[in-house]
């Protein structure tokens, strides 16, 4: 194992230094040339832990969602919540055979007993081999329960049913909606180094457990609790804390001031500003006090945010729009005595890039005592300041914070002046202590390395995105462009950091379906699920996210033929040339 990579700084933003820094940003991700890629190839190319996959044509995206066998067979990988990595599936089948529970069904693995038990309840015992989940220790022994939530065990459940049966489909929806499955790096580690699986041998290029220990790491099963990993977690947390800082929030009376990045914050925020997690933990109502009943989601949130609340946590969810009339309608229901326990919103929204009435929601949260949770993944804390208006800011670190599209993770940041701050902090601290090693240590080190120069990359990607927007707007085949700089920007600008841009994400609709298809097929960039990659990534968003609910998506303005573009940090001329070629292809339809 190589020396752990240097971790990111404590969050200090470094201004760009014109051309030299732009060249440095572009080194984070060389342009991905689709000429070198085929259907099903990983994105980024040749990365064994890639979390996106190339879908070069519109029909390829359609084939994926309709489960066309020719497309499924070509998939070497996929977004991990939608596609169980092949190495993870291989480990699951090896463990099932080792335990003697068979591998005819679908093996599902979790790094936490709590998550495995949640899965068992979700599925029902009769749908699991043996009616239970199995804990597998690092030495190959099996346990039914363990005082340790994580670290020394992998938790396995084998679903009874045919590979394409309803039972297996239900199990994979849990994996998809929650993100609680294990990572490919953890699976590789077990396959390489667990002696009962490989008799102590290691694959070429990997060190043994003893060699890892000799290099200064403490190894306990697949848990690496060394100082390097702990420091990496702290550095990631400090960076996020710095990004969330407003600089003008008043200190609580019981906090002693402490300086971070030249900004005064309370001691609690300085020591433990964020909580790091794996999966859609931010959507777990048990994370928040009094938050397991009626919820509302502002506008059309990302598909799995709503579904994990409804299907996994059995919450009653009401979806509202971003317009002022929608906010008034929600307010009237509150004044009429209806109780909502939480409001989940995105700033900015995905894929229509709207800005919510955050200040109004903040006022209502104080008056009616609900938890206000803002997902800033698309807007990013590098561009926006939203923490003061809500109780919780959650971010998918998988996206632009990492940028390299090869590791999963997320964070929760708390408003220290929320009336719920103390109870939220206590609950999150206790949960993190129980599940401190759920986020696999190799993934932590990769994330710490990837987050370098996050702020600079956002600035370059925002500049590139604005140039793409200006080009696309000129086309006669384009129906509408969705981007925060367009139209009335007052709601976005109220929260925008001085000097920041409008983000890296845009969506485009066309006057005819054939034009959308021609544009997508003709756009010579990487194409596949996810967003916030250092390389430009295009997707047929509505097909991939809402194919089985197109009518419902349309009710909220999300058209079937919407094309979403996550703009990267490539050289601007290279990128604009690709977009111009796609527009020309669409104009010939």
């Amino acid at each position: 194992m190589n020396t752990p990579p240097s971790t990111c700084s404590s969050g200090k933003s470094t201004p760009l230094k014109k051309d030299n820094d732009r060249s440095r940003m572009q080194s984070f991700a060389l342009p991905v040339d689709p000429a070198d890629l085929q259907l099903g190839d990983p994105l980024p190319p040749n990365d064994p832990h890639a979390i996106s996959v190339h879908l070069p044509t519109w029909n390829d995206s359609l084939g994926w969602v309709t489960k066309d066998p020719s497309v499924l067979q070509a998939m070497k990988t996929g977004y991990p919540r939608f596609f169980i990595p092949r190495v993870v599936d291989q480990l699951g089948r090896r463990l099932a055979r080792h335990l003697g529970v068979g591998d005819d069904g679908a093996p599902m693995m979790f790094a936490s007993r709590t998550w495995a038990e949640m899965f068992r309840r979700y599925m029902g015992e009769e749908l699991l081999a043996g009616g239970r989940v199995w804990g597998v220790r690092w030495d190959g022994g099996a346990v039914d329960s363990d005082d340790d939530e994580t670290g020394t065990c992998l938790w396995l459940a084998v679903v009874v049913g045919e590979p394409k049966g309803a039972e297996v489909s239900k199990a994979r929806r849990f994996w998809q909606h929650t993100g609680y499955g294990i990572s490919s790096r953890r699976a590789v580690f077990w396959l390489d180094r667990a002696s009962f699986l490989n008799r102590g041998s290691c694959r070429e290029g990997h060190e043994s457990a003893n060699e890892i220990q000799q290099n200064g790491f403490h190894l306990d099963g697949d848990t690496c609790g060394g100082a390097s990993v702990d420091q990496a977690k702290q550095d990631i947390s400090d960076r996020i804390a710095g990004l969330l800082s407003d600089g003008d929030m008043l200190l609580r009376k019981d906090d002693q001031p402490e300086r971070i990045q030249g900004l005064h914050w309370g001691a609690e925020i300085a020591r433990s500003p964020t909580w790091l997690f794996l999966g859609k933990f931010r959507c777990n109502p048990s994370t928040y006090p009094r938050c397991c009943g009626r919820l509302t989601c502002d506008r059309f949130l990302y598909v799995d945010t709503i579904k994990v609340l409804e299907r996994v946590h059995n919450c009653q969810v009401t979806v509202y729009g971003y317009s002022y009339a929608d906010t008034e309608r929600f307010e009237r229901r509150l004044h009429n005595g209806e109780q909502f326990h939480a409001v989940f919103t995105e700033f900015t929204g995905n894929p229509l890039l709207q800005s919510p009435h955050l200040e109004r929601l903040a006022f209502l949260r104080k008056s009616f005592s609900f938890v206000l949770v803002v997902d800033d993944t698309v807007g990013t804390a590098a561009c926006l300041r939203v923490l003061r208006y809500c109780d919780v800011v959650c971010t998918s670190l998988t996206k632009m914070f990492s940028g390299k599209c090869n590791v999963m993770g997320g964070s929760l940041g708390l408003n220290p002046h929320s009336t719920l701050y103390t109870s939220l902090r206590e609950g999150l601290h206790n949960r993190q202590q129980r599940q401190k090693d759920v986020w696999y240590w190799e993934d932590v080190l990769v994330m710490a390395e990837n987050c370098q120069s996050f702020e600079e990359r956002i600035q370059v990607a925002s500049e590139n995105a604005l140039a793409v927007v200006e080009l696309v707007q000129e086309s006669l085949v384009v129906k509408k462009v969705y981007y925060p700089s367009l139209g009335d920007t007052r709601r976005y600008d109220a929260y925008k950091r001085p000097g920041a841009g409008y983000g890296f994400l845009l969506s485009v609709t066309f006057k005819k379906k054939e034009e959308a298809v021609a544009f997508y097929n003709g756009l010579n960039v990487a194409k596949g699920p996810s967003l916030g990659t250092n390389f430009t990534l295009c997707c047929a968003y509505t097909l991939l996210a809402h194919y089985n609910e197109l009518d419902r998506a349309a009710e909220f303005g999300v058209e079937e033929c919407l094309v979403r573009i996550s703009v990267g940090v490539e050289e601007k001329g290279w990128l604009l040339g690709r977009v111009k070629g796609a527009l020309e292809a669409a104009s010939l339809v």
Side-chain angles (χ1 to χ4, degrees), residues 59-112:
N59 281 339
D60 293 332
S61 297
L62 184 60
W64 164 247
V65 297
T66 58
K67 297 180 172 54
D68 183 330
S70 64
V71 174
L72 298 182
Q73 290 170 9
M75 304 293 278
K76 298 181 179 66
T77 188
Y79 194 72
R81 289 193 298 103
F82 294 85
F83 182 97
I84 298 177
R86 299 199 184 282
V87 68
V88 172
D89 186 66
Q90 178 188 357
L91 174 60
R93 296 187 185 282
R94 294 276 297 275
L95 291 178
R97 287 196 295 270
H98 174 75
L99 293 171
V101 294
D103 59 356
D104 294 333
M108 309 293 290
M109 283 176 297
F110 307 93
S112 160

Side-chain angles (χ1 to χ4, degrees), residues 1-2 207 210-217:
M1 182 173 181
N2 296 327
E207 293 179 277
N210 287 335
E211 289 172 317
I212 293 173
Q213 289 173 319
Q214 291 168 6
N215 283 335
F217 287 85

Side-chain angles (χ1 to χ4, degrees), residues 2 26 121 212 244 251 295 324 340 381 399 429 543 562:
N2 296 327
Q26 290 156 6
R121 291 191 297 271
I212 293 173
L244 291 174
L251 290 170
L295 315 176
Y324 191 76
F340 290 87
K399 309 304 192 296
H429 176 75
L543 281 187
L562 180 144

